Amino acid sequence: MKQIRWPKSLCFSFFLLATSLSLRANEPFWNIRDVPQETVTVVAHRGAGNLAPENALESLQLTWSLGGIPEVDVRTTKDDRIVMFHDANFARILPNASEEMKKKRLEDLTFEEARQLDIGAFRGEQFAGQKIVSLEEICDSLKEDKWRRVYIDVKNVDFVKLAEVTQGLHEQIILATGKDEEAQKWMKIAPDSGTLLWMGLGTATDADIEKRFEKLRATQFEGVTHLQIHVKFLENGEMQPSADYLKKIGKELRQHKIEFQTMPWGVSTDKIEYYHRLFDLGTAGIGTDNPDIAFAALDEYYKNPPKENWNLRDHIPLNKVIVQAHRGAGNMAPEGSLESFELAWGMDMVPEADLRMTKDSVIVSFHDNDFSRIIPNASNDFKKKGIKDLTFEETQQLDIGAFRGEQFIGQKIINLETMNQVLSEHPDRMLYIDIKQIDFELLARQTEGLHSQYILASTKYDEIKEWKRVAPRSKTLHWMGGSEEKLAERLAALRAVHFAGIDQLQIHVNVDKDGKFSPSEDFLKKTGEELRKYGILFQTLSWTQGDSPEVYWRLMDLGCASFATDYPIETMKAIRDYYEKKAK
């Protein structure tokens, strides 16, 4: 990758900005309402827990239909087939069997012998006839819908064999284990997968969990992507581990980008308030034997947020505020170039790339329909051409920097492969992608393994739905402009579908010479309040006066939590000044 040399004026501005962003306000406390409700993890213990026979295909389908993720236990048969089964023997599942049969293990039977067993009858006549399910059957169900996930709790399974059977589906699988070394081992074998390390079983004290954490800290939580603690609610109303300790370790796990889950251990179906208490402590996911109750608890929790005048600096740390660098790095560098992206990332921003496809089907970063603006000195015939008219090799002969000044001469159009390479080298980076003319299936295939680092930006809700279908791990930004009346109509249509599939929503704001907002301040404030109920990040793009600090201060007072900008330095300085006012 070629070395980037910035003009001295930009280097100095960047130095000042980087220094200023090292300031930190008092960190606000994370709450599950900070993410869309539909993305909250509900793990159905042993399939669908108390709703259906555990580890049966019916329980998995039921969990997926609720919007949850089933957790299944797997063992290996005598003839080396991996199947769903939890217990060490058949005593509980086959209560009417002979004593000899009750003592047998799943590992003592061949797959065909295991398939002859009725694993549903013990739960009631309505479940009679259900059979043990193979891992291959689980994989077939996962292939039906890329949104589906499954937690696999390994009891007696070879990890290499598990990886082979689930090949091509690793992004839909999270290995669940109570052993640190197994989490590390699995992630080395299947790095596109994930792991859930669970601990507690309802008996662990603060000291017990802390002992485990000391060991994990020594390895920087190696191999762990999700961590679940089993929580027991005592008769006196206290928790074990304690509420203070859970809040503390939840914060620590978020710093390591590990999803913090809790599982109420032994919670009865009428204890919705137990789930609410765990949400208040910062849990980001729930394990449960009662997924229907967990979802009811989530519905109630999201519908009743604290009544307060929401303010950005009181809820989001300064270093977590997302600012989108429109078209790369706004007006600081030629748009859509690698240099502009690097500049934005270096300023702790998220660049935006507009994607088009060349004549030979290479996806590249380029905004305009033609070359008239970017290459003003070309012939009139060439100016009328667009990316679709050139091969990728032909695009590499173009200089997309010269029109912005001598210091940018020589900058080239970049392809998706280059963007993927940079993101893979920097897992902490994100990139907005605004689609101009791209097949989503192709884009999803070419960005596989990096979906979590891409944010699709679109003004078309159908595009957002389609992208979430083919790349469910990716995030989305739905942007919109126009009159207040038109915006209200569009928001009403999204409300009717509960804003499904939307992670961020951006509204274009116009400010006239007298400082009047369009849409109005009242409209923006109410929109922010509604979006927060859905856990959707509210972003604005100041289409006029985008370099005015006063405009950003007013937007933050109204509840705007994120910005897109063509003025990176001015915007970031305005945000920093806003937080400094709180600190004084």
Side-chain angles (χ1 to χ4, degrees):
M1 192 173 298
K2 76 175 185 178
Q3 184 178 2
I4 300 171
R5 298 185 182 278
W6 299 109
K8 290 183 179 179
S9 60
L10 289 185
C11 290
F12 182 65
S13 297
F14 170 67
F15 171 76
L16 291 178
L17 184 60
T19 301
S20 69
L21 286 178
S22 66
L23 296 171
R24 296 289 181 265
N26 292 332
E27 182 178 355
F29 184 67
W30 188 91
N31 181 274
I32 202 168
R33 295 191 192 94
D34 290 343
V35 299
Q37 183 178 346
E38 65 177 328
T39 68
V40 174
T41 303
V42 174
V43 183
H45 190 222
R46 299 190 189 176
N50 292 339
L51 298 180
E54 62 195 54
N55 288 325
L57 199 56
E58 180 178 324
S59 68
L60 273 65
Q61 298 286 356
L62 176 59
T63 299
W64 286 324
S65 70
L66 290 171
I69 306 176
E71 179 253 8
V72 303
D73 303 280
V74 294
R75 292 180 179 274
T76 306
T77 64
K78 186 177 180 179
D79 52 349
D80 204 32
R81 291 287 296 277
I82 300 175
V83 301
M84 283 198 292
F85 196 76
H86 175 271
D87 291 8
N89 57 41
F90 293 105
R92 182 175 65 94
I93 305 298
L94 302 175
N96 298 321
S98 67
E99 293 302 315
E100 181 183 3
M101 181 63 189
K102 288 180 182 180
K103 294 177 182 177
K104 284 190 175 183
R105 305 173 305 146
L106 186 282
E107 290 83 353
D108 297 324
L109 305 183
T110 66
F111 177 64
E112 285 304 318
E113 289 171 337
R115 289 283 267 194
Q116 306 308 310
L117 305 177
D118 185 334
I119 63 168
F122 83 105
R123 288 291 299 274
E125 290 184 5
Q126 69 272 34
F127 299 118
Q130 293 194 3
K131 303 298 182 182
I132 281 176
V133 178
S134 68
L135 181 59
E136 287 86 353
E137 290 173 286
I138 299 174
C139 289
D140 288 340
S141 294
L142 290 174
K143 291 174 184 176
E144 294 175 8
D145 189 343
K146 289 186 178 181
W147 277 90
R148 290 178 175 175
R149 299 283 181 273
V150 64
Y151 286 84
I152 297 180
D153 194 333
V154 285
K155 301 300 182 185
N156 178 17
V157 172
D158 178 80
F159 281 11
V160 173
K161 173 80 171 178
L162 178 63
E164 289 175 352
V165 176
T166 58
Q167 185 64 42
L169 297 168
H170 289 176
E171 284 195 351
Q172 294 176 254
I173 290 171
I174 303 99
L175 183 97
T177 178
K179 301 176 181 178
D180 308 358
E181 60 275 12
E182 287 190 344
Q184 296 169 11
K185 180 179 179 181
W186 175 249
M187 288 304 286
K188 290 175 181 176
I189 295 174
D192 291 334
S193 179
T195 61
L196 171 74
L197 182 64
W198 55 262
M199 56 184 71
L201 296 178
T203 62
T205 63
D206 292 4
D208 295 331
I209 300 296
E210 180 62 20
K211 187 175 180 179
R212 293 288 306 275
F213 265 62
E214 287 176 359
K215 182 180 177 183
L216 290 169
R217 290 185 192 109
T219 67
Q220 291 293 303
F221 294 86
E222 180 186 354
V224 181
T225 61
H226 305 63
L227 191 144
Q228 181 188 95
I229 293 181
H230 301 159
V231 181
K232 185 176 181 180
F233 288 82
L234 307 176
E235 291 184 2
N236 63 2
E238 297 296 321
M239 299 179 190
Q240 183 178 299
S242 70
D244 286 343
Y245 187 76
L246 290 171
K247 187 173 183 179
K248 171 179 171 289
I249 61 174
K251 179 179 178 180
E252 180 178 4
L253 291 174
R254 284 190 295 277
Q255 291 172 344
H256 287 274
K257 297 183 179 180
I258 295 170
E259 181 176 286
F260 173 45
Q261 296 183 12
T262 52
M263 181 171 181
W265 202 256
V267 173
S268 60
T269 57
D270 61 345
K271 296 294 185 181
I272 281 181
E273 64 269 23
Y274 286 173
Y275 294 98
H276 289 182
R277 289 174 63 186
L278 292 171
F279 297 153
D280 284 340
L281 293 173
T283 189
I286 287 287
T288 179
D289 288 308
N290 305 296
D292 53 337
I293 302 303
F295 279 112
L298 274 170
D299 286 341
E300 184 176 316
Y301 194 76
Y302 270 78
K303 287 177 182 177
N304 297 286
K307 290 179 170 53
E308 57 183 334
N309 190 19
W310 196 93
N311 182 286
L312 176 64
R313 63 189 164 215
D314 293 333
H315 291 81
I316 299 178
L318 173 58
N319 63 324
K320 298 297 183 183
V321 177
I322 294 176
V323 179
Q324 177 192 154
H326 192 221
R327 300 192 189 177
N331 62 4
M332 295 180 66
E335 59 199 50
S337 65
L338 179 59
E339 289 83 353
S340 69
F341 295 164
E342 289 287 356
L343 178 58
W345 283 319
M347 296 166 64
D348 292 328
M349 302 174 72
V350 182
E352 178 220 25
D354 299 282
L355 300 187
R356 293 184 180 274
M357 188 176 291
T358 64
K359 187 177 181 179
D360 53 345
S361 301
V362 176
I363 298 174
V364 300
S365 170
F366 195 79
H367 175 271
D368 291 8
N369 286 320
D370 56 44
F371 296 110
S372 59
R373 182 175 65 94
I374 304 299
I375 308 179
N377 297 324
S379 68
N380 288 333
D381 286 344
F382 188 82
K383 287 180 182 179
K384 294 176 183 178
K385 289 186 176 182
I387 287 293
K388 68 181 186 303
D389 301 314
L390 304 183
T391 65
F392 177 65
E393 185 60 35
E394 288 171 334
T395 68
Q396 295 306 284
Q397 310 308 311
L398 306 178
D399 185 331
I400 62 168
F403 84 106
R404 290 294 297 270
E406 290 185 4
Q407 68 271 38
F408 299 116
I409 288 176
Q411 293 186 359
K412 302 295 182 183
I413 289 173
I414 63 169
N415 59 13
L416 183 63
E417 182 180 355
T418 298
M419 294 178 244
N420 285 339
Q421 178 186 344
V422 175
L423 290 176
S424 65
E425 292 172 355
H426 302 275
D428 56 325
R429 290 180 174 179
M430 303 284 288
L431 181 66
Y432 285 97
I433 48 175
D434 194 332
I435 308 304
K436 300 303 182 185
Q437 55 163 147
I438 302 293
D439 176 80
F440 280 10
E441 293 275 3
L442 176 64
L443 180 61
R445 287 197 300 273
Q446 293 191 6
T447 56
E448 192 169 0
L450 297 168
H451 289 172
S452 62
Q453 291 176 257
Y454 280 104
I455 308 169
L456 180 99
S458 177
T459 191
K460 300 174 182 177
Y461 183 60
D462 286 345
E463 288 188 346
I464 284 175
K465 290 194 298 181
E466 175 63 12
W467 179 246
K468 278 289 193 179
R469 182 185 70 81
V470 298
R473 279 197 175 188
S474 182
K475 293 187 181 297
T476 62
L477 167 76
H478 193 17
W479 60 267
M480 58 184 68
S483 67
E484 188 168 311
E485 180 180 7
K486 185 65 176 177
L487 289 170
E489 291 177 2
R490 297 187 67 177
L491 289 171
L494 295 174
R495 191 177 301 119
V497 294
H498 307 289
F499 295 87
I502 298 174
D503 297 291
Q504 304 175 16
L505 190 141
Q506 178 196 103
I507 289 180
H508 295 175
V509 178
N510 287 280
V511 187
D512 67 19
K513 58 182 177 59
D514 297 320
K516 183 180 179 181
F517 281 6
S518 177
S520 68
E521 293 190 20
D522 184 60
F523 181 88
L524 292 170
K525 185 174 182 178
K526 288 180 178 178
T527 299
E529 290 172 351
E530 178 174 24
L531 293 177
R532 284 191 294 279
K533 290 181 181 179
Y534 288 92
I536 295 170
L537 184 72
F538 179 35
Q539 184 178 104
T540 55
L541 169 60
S542 187
W543 209 245
T544 55
Q545 297 195 36
D547 58 346
S548 168
E550 291 79 7
V551 167
Y552 291 104
W553 297 339
R554 288 169 62 189
L555 287 170
M556 285 184 273
D557 281 341
L558 292 172
C560 180
S562 177
F563 299 97
T565 181
D566 289 305
Y567 303 91
I569 289 180
E570 292 86 349
T571 303
M572 300 298 272
K573 185 177 186 303
I575 296 170
R576 180 216 51 191
D577 290 346
Y578 187 78
Y579 275 78
E580 280 188 332
K581 289 179 182 179
K582 171 73 173 181
K584 290 179 180 178

